[in-house]
Structures are given as structure tokens and as C-alpha cells.
Amino acid sequence: MKQPEVLIIGAGVAGITAAAHLAQHGLRVTVLDKNDHAGGRCDQFVREGHRFDSGPTLLVMPLIYETEFATLGASIWERLELQRVDPTYHLVFDDGSQLALTSDLTNLRKQIEGFETGSFAELLRYLEEGRRHYDIAVDKLVYRDFRKATDLLNIGNIPLLFQVKPFAKHYGNMRAYFDEPRLKAAFTFQDVYLGLSPFEAPATFSLMPYTELAHGVWYPKGGMYSVVNALMDIARQAGVEFFFDAEVDQILVRGDQVTSVRLMGGEIMEADAILANADLPYVYSQLLPDDPQTERLAHKEYSCSVVSFFWGVNKVYPQLPPHTLFLADDYRQNFHSISHDLTLPANPSLYVHAPARLDTSMAPPGEDTLTAIVPVGHLTENGEQDWNDLRDRAREHVFRRLALLGISDLGEHIKFETNFTPLSWRKRYNLAKGSTHGLSHNLLQLAYFRPSNRHARYHNLYFAGASTRPGTGLPTAMISGRLTAKRLLDDFVTD
């Protein structure tokens, strides 16, 4: 029997993963991408010998990566040259105080007891809660694709309401553990990985600080784009064909089926099934005929965006560790400005990455490669945000914060700058509202309540990626690709 032919729109991590799974099951798979290389938001570029990861900069939740690579018949430890990063982060507060998050509990105890007496015992309690949340959420929520409502809403899942604290806010839940605001910030800022405010994120996400300290933060030689390269190798070995600079203009339909795609150049490519790894709201609004889901998606909550600076620097700043976070004292107002005012906070928290501390090949000898990321609100509907002004203000905030570490001359040593604003994210990756993490992860946009990975009408149209199930993040993208591939196989392939 002739195996189905599948077209995948988008060579992001979820798209590549899905392609590899489908090809390994004997399907003919072709992947199309608008850009000239794979990766989607997990991107990388090189300029004057400086190598920049423009998406994720660290590998968290390694056990999920390990599992997902294993489902593809591969070992992450063989495919990637990984090193553990410890301390995971150096946190710098407005008063100049610092905290190095480390899995060395003796060291960590000494540090945090200096912030609040008795806090180490409370941290252990908090991490135990995080462990419970991790074990339960990964099994019951992350690894499930919830094809019908009763997959979530059933008697067996009632304990989840109490086990993972979905109705408690993450920051509010910290009152049970710490009084010191800096410690509350130190163990909730990880919500930003999902584009979330800890004042709005469910307390379930205490699983993030737990997995970082328990399972580690890792860095692959060559940067995070090495994950993309490893997945591309697996997919190509399985027979997947990739076509780049191949932007899809429209998904064509006939009755209740999708039949083909039309490229921007007018070429028609037919398929038995189509899997869209492009940003889900973009697929509905730009690639499909009028669909009521388009309007529903437009009214959902979206994650934040970021302004990113990529600097090639003609000197080394050894006082900068690989991952530095500057956390603002006005933590609540910081997130309110981002989530509700959709702007740059007056005193933004921000992140600086120095990859050459971990891999000297990321910068030329005697020079540095630096990335600064400043969370901001996503694009407004009226387009009134002045991103040139907001970008320039964000840059000055980075320089101001670096002065806390004795770095006052960075501007004099920058050879070149590349920067991304929410407008850049929208243009480069077709991200609705320039939201770097897609749809937000509030309670009504998680699990079954997140958009399905199969179209409600066109049952041979599937979705994978950040805005569908299970959600955003690089390891989660691999899960999304696998779950969607399994659903397609269940629909098309019978034993």
C-alpha cells in the first residue's frame, strides 16, 4: 500500500521532530521553510567570527531531551557534547547584592541564609514541592495531547487540582516559603522562559527552579543550535527532504480536506496530509480560508516579547559569567508594565549571556560575544509603540546594569550590533504580535484548553509548535512534534 505523503510547513524544532518520526515510520515527508536554514526560533547566526544563538541560550529539563531523543532512536549524550553549567545563573539585584544559583547545597545555603535567616530549610521545602509538580505535570499534562475533553476532565484527574496548585499564582505561593522579596524573585523568574509573569503563572511552574537545580542547566558545544543540527541529521537519515527559501502562501482545501499548498512563487505541492509548524495564529489568519478559530485566537492571551542585542566585542569581560540576570526590586511593576501596559518597564529586569565562557569557539581569540535580552510587551493592535525609542532605552538599561559589575566601557568596545525587537520576531518567524513564546500559558490555555494539534474540520491538517499542545519551550517542541506525528500516524496508518 502506498504510504501517505506529508508536507510540513516550517522547519522549527517541532517540525523537524515530527518529520523524523513520520519518516521513520515509512511516510514520505517534505519540509518547507520560508528562511534559508532550519531552526525557527531556535536560530543562530555568525558575524565576523562571533557566533550568536538568537533563541534559547541554555538547555533545561535535560530528562525530557533525553527521552525525546531516545524515541528517535538516538542518545542526546552521543549526539551533543554537553557540559553542565554550575552555578546556573548569577543573579544581581538593584542594591548590588548577588546570588549564584548552584546545586552545591552547602554553598547555596551559605548564600541564601545571608538574605533571610532560616531560608535554606524553606528552600528545601519549596524544591520538594517543585519535584512533586515536575513529576506529576510532566506525566499528566506535558506528555499528553488531550484528543478529547475527557482525557483531562475525568475523575482520575481530580487530584491534579490539589497536587499541582493550578489556581494559586506562583509569586503569591512564595509567601509560604520566603519573606525576602529577592528570594521570591530568585525562584520565580524562570516563568519568563514561558513568556509568563510569575504574578499570573500558576504555582505549578515551581517545577522549573526544581529541575534546574536537580537535573541541571546544560550547554551544548557550538551553542543551542547544535540541537537543531542533531535533529536535522536524524531527520535526513530517515529520508526527510527539506526545501528552504520556500515560503507557503496558502493551504488549499477541497470540502473537508486540505489538498496542497501554494508557494509564494505560485508552485502547487500536493499531499495526503499537511502539518503546520508555523506559528498557529499565523496559519489560521494567513494560510487558511476564513475560519472562526482565527477570531478566537486573536482574543486569546499572548506571551511577552523581548528586545535582544547581539554584540561582537573587541575585548574579553572575564567578570561576566555565562548567564547573568539583573532582577529589579520593583519586580511586580516590572511584569505589570510588560503584561498589561505592553511596554518596556522603567527599571527592567534583564539577562546577559556570555557563551564564550562555556565554549571558546563562540568568539574570536581575545574578543567576546555578548547577548542581552530585555523582556517587553508584545505588539499592540494600534501599532503606537515606538520600537526605535524603546530599543535605545533598553540598550541604555543594559549598560547601566552592567556597571554594577564594574563594566562601564562596553559601548567603546562594541565592534557591531545586531538587534531584534518584536517587529523583528514577527517578520523573521511570522509570530503573531511578535510574541516570542506564542500563546500564553494561563490556566485556560493549558492542556486540553490549549489549541488542538488537529484542525476541527480539516482532519488531515495538523499543528505542532509553541501555540498548540503541550506548549512553548525547546524540549516541549520536541514533545509537540512527536505527539502530533503520532496522531497523524494513528489517523493514516493501520496495522
Side-chain angles (χ1 to χ4, degrees):
M1 181 180 294
K2 176 180 176 291
Q3 290 285 27
E5 296 186 22
V6 181
L7 277 175
I8 295 182
I9 304 170
V13 167
I16 304 168
T17 303
H21 281 289
L22 294 171
Q24 287 181 349
H25 282 80
L27 277 65
R28 294 181 58 186
V29 184
T30 302
V31 181
L32 309 171
D33 197 281
K34 69 184 285 286
N35 293 322
D36 62 4
H37 59 280
R41 279 167 275 191
C42 187
D43 210 344
Q44 187 177 90
F45 67 93
V46 180
R47 183 172 172 183
E48 297 181 24
H50 297 266
R51 188 177 301 273
F52 300 92
D53 282 320
S54 58
T57 59
L58 41 78
L59 192 151
V60 297
M61 307 184 86
L63 301 187
I64 291 181
Y65 282 96
E66 188 174 49
T67 298
E68 293 307 311
F69 269 86
T71 65
L72 290 166
S75 166
I76 186 176
W77 307 105
E78 295 176 0
R79 294 279 179 165
L80 299 175
E81 187 176 334
L82 292 168
Q83 61 175 305
R84 186 163 182 168
V85 183
D86 198 322
T88 54
Y89 312 97
H90 284 77
L91 308 183
V92 183
F93 301 98
D94 281 349
D95 63 358
S97 60
Q98 299 185 31
L99 173 62
L101 296 183
T102 173
S103 57
D104 179 345
L105 295 185
T106 301
N107 183 322
L108 187 59
R109 177 176 188 162
K110 181 179 180 180
Q111 290 185 79
I112 70 169
E113 287 286 338
F115 284 87
E116 179 180 339
T117 302
S119 59
F120 183 70
E122 295 305 306
L123 174 63
L124 295 181
R125 282 203 314 119
Y126 175 66
L127 293 177
E128 174 58 23
E129 176 183 274
R131 182 197 64 77
R132 293 195 305 270
H133 288 179
Y134 180 92
D135 291 345
I136 294 168
V138 168
D139 179 45
K140 299 289 188 181
L141 299 174
V142 177
Y143 278 142
R144 308 295 176 91
D145 62 357
F146 300 106
R147 299 185 186 185
K148 54 187 185 299
T150 52
D151 289 342
L152 175 67
L153 307 174
N154 59 62
I155 293 175
N157 281 338
I158 288 177
L160 290 175
L161 299 176
F162 312 100
Q163 292 171 332
V164 298
K165 296 188 175 180
F167 300 114
K169 301 304 183 188
H170 194 182
Y171 192 86
N173 187 55
M174 299 303 288
R175 287 194 298 266
Y177 301 99
F178 306 119
D179 293 324
E180 169 58 54
R182 288 172 295 181
L183 293 183
K184 293 179 182 179
F187 296 104
T188 58
F189 74 82
Q190 296 86 348
D191 295 346
V192 176
Y193 297 162
L194 304 171
L196 280 173
S197 161
F199 297 94
E200 298 173 359
T204 311
F205 289 115
S206 62
L207 65 88
M208 292 300 297
Y210 161 74
T211 185
E212 288 182 346
L213 290 176
H215 306 145
V217 169
W218 300 76
Y219 187 81
K221 184 175 177 59
M224 286 299 293
Y225 197 74
S226 298
V227 177
V228 175
N229 287 331
L231 291 172
M232 287 291 288
D233 288 343
I234 294 169
R236 284 183 164 133
Q237 289 165 7
V240 178
E241 286 191 281
F242 290 87
F243 293 91
F244 297 104
D245 296 312
E247 185 169 2
V248 172
D249 176 54
Q250 191 171 4
I251 298 172
L252 304 178
V253 304
R254 183 186 304 119
D256 291 338
Q257 296 282 305
V258 294
T259 61
S260 53
V261 301
R262 183 175 64 228
L263 303 184
M264 285 295 185
E267 180 183 356
I268 304 293
M269 299 182 69
E270 297 182 347
D272 298 297
I274 295 172
L275 191 158
N277 179 218
D279 192 40
L280 186 72
Y282 175 83
V283 174
Y284 274 97
S285 65
Q286 302 297 320
L287 302 186
L288 284 169
D290 290 342
D291 191 302
Q293 177 75 335
T294 304
E295 188 67 18
R296 288 193 289 268
L297 287 171
H299 288 91
K300 288 186 178 292
E301 290 190 26
Y302 284 73
S303 65
C304 70
S305 190
V306 299
V307 174
S308 296
F309 300 97
F310 307 97
W311 292 315
V313 183
N314 63 13
K315 66 175 286 188
V316 177
Y317 289 94
Q319 62 269 56
L320 264 182
H323 304 294
T324 305
L325 283 113
F326 297 87
L327 297 179
D329 285 349
D330 45 354
Y331 196 59
R332 182 184 297 274
Q333 183 57 42
N334 214 270
F335 283 102
H336 188 277
S337 297
I338 294 168
S339 301
H340 297 278
D341 300 335
L342 301 180
T343 189
L344 172 73
N347 178 35
S349 296
L350 55 92
Y351 164 67
V352 177
H353 177 45
R357 300 300 164 277
L358 302 168
D359 181 355
T360 57
S361 71
M362 302 298 282
E367 300 187 351
D368 232 343
T369 295
L370 301 179
T371 298
I373 299 175
V374 185
V376 295
H378 61 64
L379 298 173
T380 60
E381 297 297 333
N382 57 28
E384 291 181 351
Q385 296 148 308
D386 183 344
W387 286 109
N388 288 333
D389 176 64
L390 292 170
R391 176 202 61 204
D392 292 345
R393 286 162 49 197
R395 184 190 299 107
E396 291 306 313
H397 283 298
V398 177
F399 291 164
R400 174 177 60 83
R401 290 302 188 86
L402 287 172
L404 291 171
L405 299 181
I407 298 174
S408 57
D409 64 345
L410 178 61
E412 302 167 19
H413 292 280
I414 292 176
K415 297 160 49 182
F416 63 82
E417 172 185 294
T418 298
N419 59 71
F420 293 174
T421 70
L423 295 173
S424 313
W425 299 112
R426 182 175 65 182
K427 180 178 180 180
R428 292 175 70 91
Y429 308 110
N430 291 332
L431 302 182
K433 302 179 188 289
S435 295
T436 48
H437 299 77
L439 294 178
S440 182
H441 287 73
N442 61 40
L443 189 59
L444 294 179
Q445 293 179 184
L446 287 173
Y448 174 75
F449 302 109
R450 202 162 184 81
S452 173
N453 56 14
R454 190 180 73 174
H455 196 280
R457 176 182 176 185
Y458 310 121
H459 284 183
N460 63 334
L461 175 60
Y462 302 83
F463 308 105
S467 291
T468 185
R469 300 168 191 162
T472 195
L474 195 52
T476 318
M478 294 187 68
I479 299 172
S480 179
R482 175 175 58 81
L483 292 177
T484 303
K486 185 178 187 305
R487 186 163 195 178
L488 190 157
L489 288 166
D490 289 346
D491 288 346
F492 277 82
V493 180
T494 59
D495 294 332

